[in-house]
Amino acid sequence: MSAYVSVLDLFSVGVGPSSSHTVGPMRAAKAFVATLEDGGVLDAVAGLRVVLCGSLGATGVGHGTPDAVVAGLLGLDPETCDPARVPGSWEKLGEGAPVALLGRHRITMTSDDVRLAPLTRMPGHPNGMRFTALDASGAPLAEEAYYSVGGGFVLTAAELESAAANEAAQLGAELAGEAIDPRTEPSGVPFPFANAAELLALCERERTSIAAVAWANESTLRPAAEVEAGVDRIWDTMSACVDAGLERDGVLPGRLKVRRRARAQRERLELADERGADTTIEWLQAFAMAVNEENADGRRVVTAPTNGAAGIIPAVGRHFLRTHPDVAADPARRRRAMRTYLLTAAAIGALYKRNASISGAEAGCQGEVGSACSMAAGAICAVLGGTPAQVENAAEIAMEHNLGLTCDPVGGLVQVPCIERNAIAACTAVSAARLALQGDGSHVVSLDTVIETMRQTGVDMSTKYKETSTGGLAVNVVEC
């Protein structure tokens, strides 16, 4: 597996409420019908069956998974589609309704054609799904298994098996005492790194920052102007999501009837600001809640690195700009700061994706909120002038205090405790960065150690605490 994950892949624009349960399944469904078209059999398809297994089946309804699958079959893309077209897509099928695969080939599907199978665990990952296309006689034309592995990333069964084989080969080489040089990996970038130690060594050797290493890699994969435009678009989308959440009022979808709070928070904070009160932390929390209320409402968000944790990185970035008005007021300085911020966050996030997990179904919420908190801590440390060692320390501190965090959404909805959890984690990220900036970067527990600890904790964690809504708050809160 390549050691490098592009910032433009790790941060992807999509729709709520879940990267693994909404964005990933939508991409998988679209990819499946695209393979039918590429194989010349799309016009022969008369029926289609989808089975959502494991965690996708357990919390699929609350996470909008069946709706996302139908939207993907229609050819909708999470980055470009109108979010309003996704909710209700599955229920509208009822006992039979037309579905235009890729927007052109019509078949009839019922709601039973997208089946939830929470007790069926596919071998590669908790978020597995199977697609089967049928001809007019009901015989299978094509079948494919997909896995939504977190953060909107999707792999076929063959791709996942290949990735696992590569990781096993690397582990075997390491156990045999063979040194693995990251520069030999087929990553296609000048500065690949497999872990934080290698990233820090690169920074020291090149006498540069983590963001500069990421920039050099990105601008090798794509033209520099394309990278700049892509990173700017990511930040602009994040910031717009904050603004939208601070303006919108009402009740979030689902049986919990959770009211939005960010707008009321904003109004109270504006009055407090007029009185000269210190509202720094409260604004930080409001920024995070605004994003996650937008996510819970199925609206446009940036997967950062997941939708369940989408509010942390935007909130901490907005916090930096709010507390540094000189940077915020200068468009050129603001662009440079936010590019540094996101490139640093992506470099850290790539370590979690490679060496542990960013999937709540695989690692619990430590893999989602914990990873995002760590990324945001390192990123704001960087824009505050931290050295690479201090950035690594900030990222480590943040994750160290998220270890063991469970994923237990009440009612299978990305609302309680998810929205508030983002607000608290944003505060933790800022605190971790400030603590790291007080030192010289030297510390006892390395980021690599805490990432491996998170991975081990995820492996040991009971399945009921990993996005299945069968443990924790999900079963101890009485739904009214």
Side-chain angles (χ1 to χ4, degrees):
M1 182 185 293
S2 170
Y4 188 73
V5 180
S6 171
V7 62
L8 302 184
D9 293 328
L10 194 66
F11 296 128
S12 62
V13 178
V15 296
S18 172
S19 52
S20 59
H21 286 56
T22 312
V23 176
M26 191 187 302
R27 288 176 175 162
K30 184 180 179 182
F32 180 67
V33 289
T35 62
L36 297 176
E37 183 176 53
D38 293 342
V41 298
L42 181 62
D43 291 336
V45 175
L48 209 148
R49 306 285 185 271
V50 184
V51 182
L52 302 171
C53 301
S55 180
L56 294 180
T59 59
V61 174
H63 286 59
T65 310
D67 290 338
V69 166
V70 176
L73 296 176
L74 293 169
L76 300 186
D77 184 273
E79 182 170 354
T80 58
C81 74
D82 177 357
R85 290 191 62 187
V86 181
S89 300
W90 178 53
E91 290 183 0
K92 290 175 184 175
L93 297 180
E95 307 227 348
V99 173
L101 302 180
L102 288 183
R104 69 169 188 82
H105 177 64
R106 286 180 170 270
I107 64 171
T108 297
M109 292 183 66
T110 72
S111 56
D112 289 339
D113 289 333
V114 182
R115 183 167 63 87
L116 302 170
L119 301 181
T120 301
R121 166 72 186 256
M122 289 171 61
H125 190 278
N127 292 335
M129 57 197 123
R130 292 189 180 277
F131 292 79
T132 305
L134 308 171
D135 64 16
S137 70
L141 271 173
E143 185 174 18
E144 184 62 87
Y146 292 89
Y147 293 95
S148 183
V149 296
F153 290 91
V154 174
L155 297 174
T156 64
E159 289 169 339
L160 189 67
E161 185 177 345
S162 175
N166 289 339
E167 290 177 0
Q170 289 185 14
L171 179 60
E174 291 173 2
L175 292 175
E178 300 173 15
I180 304 296
D181 185 348
R183 290 170 294 183
T184 65
E185 292 197 51
S187 57
V189 296
F191 301 115
F193 49 89
N195 51 50
E198 290 173 0
L199 177 56
L200 289 177
L202 280 172
C203 291
E204 183 175 358
R205 188 186 77 204
E206 302 296 323
R207 296 184 179 181
T208 193
S209 66
I210 290 174
V213 168
W215 169 257
N217 288 337
E218 294 289 340
S219 55
T220 299
L221 297 173
R222 300 176 177 86
E226 184 179 331
V227 177
E228 289 180 343
V231 175
D232 291 348
R233 181 175 59 87
I234 289 168
W235 175 251
D236 289 345
T237 306
M238 286 181 171
S239 191
C241 186
V242 173
D243 291 336
L246 291 173
E247 289 293 334
R248 218 182 306 273
D249 204 354
V251 177
L252 297 174
R255 59 186 180 273
L256 296 181
K257 305 300 180 186
V258 173
R259 287 203 64 85
R260 284 175 173 261
R261 289 183 283 169
R263 177 175 174 171
Q265 287 177 290
R266 172 184 63 79
E267 292 170 346
R268 286 193 296 270
L269 291 173
E270 288 172 343
L271 292 174
D273 287 344
E274 291 176 3
R275 299 193 302 269
D278 181 2
T279 58
T280 304
I281 296 301
E282 287 80 1
W283 273 111
L284 172 60
Q285 294 171 334
F287 294 153
M289 293 185 68
V291 172
N292 283 86
E293 287 175 353
E294 287 290 282
N295 178 63
D297 209 7
R299 298 182 184 271
R300 179 80 64 215
V301 297
V302 176
T303 299
T306 67
N307 283 25
I312 299 164
I313 290 172
V316 173
R318 283 287 290 264
H319 165 81
F320 170 79
L321 294 176
R322 184 177 182 275
T323 54
H324 292 77
D326 55 328
V327 177
D330 184 329
R333 291 183 67 190
R334 184 174 67 247
R335 286 296 188 198
R336 287 195 298 270
M338 290 300 98
R339 288 169 187 169
T340 295
Y341 179 74
L342 291 177
L343 287 166
T344 304
I348 295 167
L351 299 176
Y352 283 99
K353 187 177 186 309
R354 174 188 171 91
N355 298 319
S357 176
I358 58 171
S359 167
E362 194 171 36
C365 202
Q366 60 173 356
E368 297 199 34
V369 162
S371 295
C373 181
S374 180
M375 293 163 67
I380 192 172
C381 184
V383 294
L384 289 172
T387 65
Q390 289 172 319
V391 169
E392 185 261 1
N393 189 14
E396 179 274 323
I397 292 169
M399 173 52 82
E400 189 174 325
H401 302 290
N402 276 287
L403 289 174
L405 191 62
T406 60
C407 185
D408 49 356
V410 177
L413 300 166
V414 194
Q415 299 176 13
V416 181
C418 318
I419 296 171
E420 288 181 354
R421 188 168 283 174
N422 275 253
I424 299 304
C427 297
T428 299
V430 172
S431 296
R434 294 175 68 174
L435 185 58
L437 286 167
Q438 297 303 309
D440 61 3
S442 59
H443 51 109
V444 174
V445 180
S446 70
L447 178 57
D448 288 329
T449 297
V450 84
I451 291 174
E452 171 59 16
T453 302
M454 188 269 271
R455 187 195 67 79
Q456 293 176 6
T457 304
V459 171
D460 292 341
M461 188 181 290
S462 170
T463 301
K464 69 182 183 179
Y465 297 119
K466 294 193 282 191
E467 210 167 4
T468 57
S469 287
T470 55
L473 287 176
V475 298
N476 287 315
V477 173
V478 177
E479 299 178 38
C480 300

